Amino acid sequence: MTAKISYADVEVGTELPAQTFPVTRATLVQYAGASGDFNPIHWNEKFAKEVGLPDVIGHGMFTMAEAIRVVTDWVGDPGAVVEYGVRFTRPVVVPNDEQGAVIEVSGKVAAKLDEHERTVRVDLTATSAGQKVLGMSRAVVRLA
Amino acid sequence: MALDQSFVGRSYPPTDPYEVGREKIREFAEAVGDANPAYTDAEAAKALGHPDVIAPPTFVFAITFKAAGEVVADPRLGLDYSRVVHGDQRFAYRRPVRAGDRLTVTSTIEAVKSMAGNDILDIRGEVHDEAGEHVVTAWTKLVARAAEEA
């Protein structure tokens, strides 16, 4: 495992480079195929509205996959992620147009956990259309 | 109607092995727009200390959720799957999933609760490789929303 970031070089409060991730209906269809999650709330507007949603919504697991990229891009080695958890607090609503929606993710080092294991906890914030879409979004990462 | 509490602690037999393919990893990485070469280039993965290409951290959910689905669909449990939403998801990794892994999932119901008419189910999926080594544990919280008043 080869993280690019060294445990000694980070402090509590160190900010990770923030990123924005676009998501359109086409993105959701592609993710459905790759993940095997074909729930129609993620591609069928009529069905989504019938079950009380405002429109088609993104897969929670898609948002979870995007959010951790802020961490994996930072450390370089995705295998450095030791733990990762989120709460799905609000859906990402994806309109049927060219723009779709945008997921904005930022992260910062919330705690240095173990000097011997070189692990830190990163807290992530993910929003879409100004609303927080993930809660309790945390990753434990092993640094170099 | 509240779910049967006697299901707490129940484990289901391990699933048949799922073989992780490098093209499936590539497809997943493309779907989430992630160009990290560790997902597609074996040499890049080896340079990071891995024996082969690895999968993005959330890739394994497709396997554990399918296993959880067998629990959810257990008619004796009586969950209304048409009203289920994903509440929380957490993973603890021993090592990353990689191409060539043959993974089995053993699911256990950790908690069954009813709150404000919603049924809440916590399922733990233990993922092991062909050698029986632990790879990752996935905790999935599913919420079956209360049916609206007719």
Side-chain angles (χ1 to χ4, degrees):
Chain A
M1 312 292 166
T2 316
K4 286 190 301 195
I5 306 289
S6 137
Y7 181 83
D9 289 346
V10 303
E11 293 167 9
V12 171
T14 297
E15 293 195 8
L16 282 59
Q19 295 193 56
T20 58
F21 304 103
V23 45
T24 65
R25 295 287 179 88
T27 315
L28 296 181
V29 170
Q30 191 178 1
Y31 182 79
S35 69
D37 182 350
F38 294 100
N39 188 328
I41 60 175
H42 304 306
W43 51 269
N44 184 333
E45 195 167 316
K46 178 170 171 283
F47 182 89
K49 287 180 173 166
E50 276 172 9
V51 297
L53 294 164
D55 203 336
V56 161
I57 62 166
H59 304 71
M61 288 307 300
F62 177 82
T63 303
M64 188 174 185
E66 298 307 320
I68 197 65
R69 286 176 57 193
V70 165
V71 177
T72 56
D73 285 357
W74 178 63
V75 294
D77 181 5
V81 178
V82 177
E83 280 184 46
Y84 178 35
V86 307
R87 177 164 294 165
F88 302 104
T89 51
R90 275 173 193 274
V92 174
V93 178
V94 182
N96 187 21
D97 58 25
E98 299 291 310
Q99 287 76 40
V102 173
I103 301 166
E104 300 178 342
V105 183
S106 62
K108 70 177 173 190
V109 175
K112 296 186 79 170
L113 299 177
D114 187 324
E115 191 168 345
H116 180 68
E117 295 284 328
R118 305 184 311 284
T119 47
V120 300
R121 195 185 94 213
V122 173
D123 287 1
L124 295 162
T125 303
T127 60
S128 185
Q131 303 266 22
K132 205 167 161 185
V133 293
L134 297 178
M136 301 288 288
S137 183
R138 297 169 166 187
V140 174
V141 198
R142 180 169 291 117
L143 301 179
Chain B
M1 202 176 74
L3 297 176
D4 185 347
Q5 281 291 325
S6 71
F7 276 78
V8 175
R10 186 170 301 201
S11 284
Y12 289 73
T15 57
D16 289 337
Y18 173 100
E19 184 166 329
V20 179
R22 64 186 64 248
E23 292 302 336
K24 191 66 194 178
I25 292 175
R26 180 195 303 275
E27 181 189 356
F28 187 90
E30 282 178 0
V32 298
D34 193 332
N36 194 312
Y39 303 140
T40 52
D41 178 347
E43 292 311 311
K46 284 173 188 169
L48 294 169
H50 305 294
D52 203 331
V53 294
I54 62 172
T58 63
F59 175 91
V60 74
F61 180 76
I63 307 165
T64 57
F65 187 61
K66 191 158 177 260
E70 292 175 23
V71 177
V72 167
D74 186 336
R76 293 164 298 173
L77 179 62
L79 193 73
D80 181 359
Y81 189 57
S82 69
R83 308 197 65 82
V84 166
V85 295
H86 198 177
D88 289 32
Q89 183 60 43
R90 188 160 65 89
F91 301 102
Y93 306 90
R94 182 70 55 91
R95 65 161 174 85
V97 166
R98 56 193 178 228
D101 273 338
R102 286 170 58 81
L103 303 176
T104 58
V105 186
T106 306
S107 299
T108 300
I109 296 179
E110 286 201 325
V112 174
K113 290 176 204 150
S114 291
M115 283 175 67
N118 297 327
D119 290 321
I120 301 167
L121 192 63
D122 288 308
I123 301 170
R124 185 182 77 243
E126 299 281 1
V127 180
H128 291 88
D129 65 15
E130 203 166 22
E133 298 292 327
H134 174 246
V135 178
V136 52
T137 301
W139 289 268
T140 303
K141 185 186 290 290
L142 298 174
V143 181
R145 291 170 297 148
E148 285 131 29
E149 296 294 321

